[in-house]
Amino acid sequence: ASGSRGASLVSGRSMLRSLVVLSACAAASAFAPTSGFVGTGRLSPADKARSSASAGPQMQFGNPFGTQPAASQPPPPMPAPTGMVPDMGRRNMMNALLLGSVAGPLLVLPAVLISFLVPAKSGGGGGGIVAKDALGNDVKVDDWIKAKGPGDRSLVQGLKGDATYLIVNDDKTLEKFGVNAVCTHLGCVVPWNKSANKFCCPCHGSQYDKNGKVVRGPAPLSLALAKRGESDGKVTLATWSETDFRTGEKPWWK
């Protein structure tokens, strides 16, 4: 019994060894080069000859259509440089448009600034302007006198847009001149102080009498005068160019 068991073990080992050898051979054959290829993976010369002969003239290696390759043509000569870019005309047009868009506003800007700085003039005799109230409406003589009492000094918009006092006389008429409210010291607007019967500047203490003549510094000069007129029932103001009746001198504001 032991002898038969040993014989069966030997035969089983032999069969296992045979199966391993067969498996190794099968694996090696799977990765081996196919027929017609040399060890480098390329066709051998004999295989190339046989393949060319069987394929005929239309399947020659390297020329599948069997035609002769066309002779190489030299590249066409480059055109001589002319110094002109093909789209130079378009570039010139765009440059002109850009220059015009920048130069146009720059040329108009000075005129706009001048028109803004120079006050607009409306109708009035003798080159004057029509006085405006606080709402920007034209000041009418009759309406102003009715609304103001004797001795009143109220502001209107006058020459160059400056605040200017209109003076109502005791007989309910308008004085022939207006008084500019801009202080001659540092340009503050000087209010009318009815109780003191003076124009008193709140900035540095300058004082002017009821007609605008300086009576206390530091203001060096009297308040400027404006000639009051009338046109179509509206109050007009013009530059006072005559002798300053308060000082007997030529007007300093001309």
Side-chain angles (χ1 to χ4, degrees), residues 69-81:
S72 61
Q73 299 292 334
M78 295 296 291

Side-chain angles (χ1 to χ4, degrees), residues 121-131 138 229-238:
K121 295 183 178 180
S122 53
I129 64 169
V130 175
D138 294 343
E230 181 178 344
S231 177
D232 298 329
K234 300 176 182 179
V235 176
T236 62
L237 295 171

Side-chain angles (χ1 to χ4, degrees), residues 52 63 79 105 113 149 155 159 182 199 202 210 237:
S52 300
N63 190 5
L113 292 176
L155 290 171
L159 297 171
V182 179
F199 295 100
K210 63 179 183 178
L237 295 171

Side-chain angles (χ1 to χ4, degrees), residues 143-154 166-174 192 194:
D143 294 342
W144 188 267
I145 293 176
K146 289 179 182 178
K148 310 297 179 180
D152 179 79
R153 285 161 173 79
S154 297
L166 293 181
I167 301 174
V168 180
N169 295 319
D170 293 338
D171 59 356
K172 297 286 289 184
T173 60
L174 283 178
W192 167 249
K194 186 176 181 181

Side-chain angles (χ1 to χ4, degrees), residues 93-202:
M93 181 181 69
M94 295 302 296
N95 290 337
L97 291 176
L98 179 61
L99 180 61
S101 63
V102 174
L106 292 179
L107 294 176
V108 176
L109 184 60
V112 175
L113 292 176
I114 293 174
S115 63
F116 176 78
L117 295 176
V118 176
K121 295 183 178 180
S122 53
I129 64 169
V130 175
K132 304 288 184 179
D133 61 16
L135 299 178
N137 300 318
D138 294 343
V139 176
K140 297 181 179 180
V141 177
D142 293 340
D143 294 342
W144 188 267
I145 293 176
K146 289 179 182 178
K148 310 297 179 180
D152 179 79
R153 285 161 173 79
S154 297
L155 290 171
V156 297
Q157 179 178 320
L159 297 171
K160 301 180 181 179
D162 288 346
T164 304
Y165 285 100
L166 293 181
I167 301 174
V168 180
N169 295 319
D170 293 338
D171 59 356
K172 297 286 289 184
T173 60
L174 283 178
E175 189 61 79
K176 297 298 182 180
F177 61 88
V179 178
N180 192 304
V182 179
C183 182
T184 59
H185 179 217
L186 291 179
C188 298
V189 174
V190 183
W192 167 249
N193 189 328
K194 186 176 181 181
S195 61
N197 200 33
K198 295 178 183 178
F199 295 100
C200 300
C201 182

Side-chain angles (χ1 to χ4, degrees), residues 51-52 55-71:
S51 177
S52 300
Q58 294 182 354
M59 292 296 293
Q60 293 181 1
F61 186 79
N63 190 5
F65 297 100
T67 58
Q68 295 297 326

Side-chain angles (χ1 to χ4, degrees), residues 186-251:
L186 291 179
C188 298
V189 174
V190 183
W192 167 249
N193 189 328
K194 186 176 181 181
S195 61
N197 200 33
K198 295 178 183 178
F199 295 100
C200 300
C201 182
C203 297
H204 302 96
S206 299
Q207 295 183 7
Y208 309 85
D209 69 8
K210 63 179 183 178
N211 292 329
K213 180 181 178 181
V214 62
V215 293
R216 176 180 172 181
L221 300 167
S222 300
L223 297 175
L225 295 176
K227 182 178 291 186
R228 202 275 306 171
E230 181 178 344
S231 177
D232 298 329
K234 300 176 182 179
V235 176
T236 62
L237 295 171
T239 301
W240 185 283
S241 57
E242 303 169 4
T243 301
D244 187 348
F245 63 88
R246 303 167 301 182
T247 62
E249 299 176 355
K250 294 181 178 180

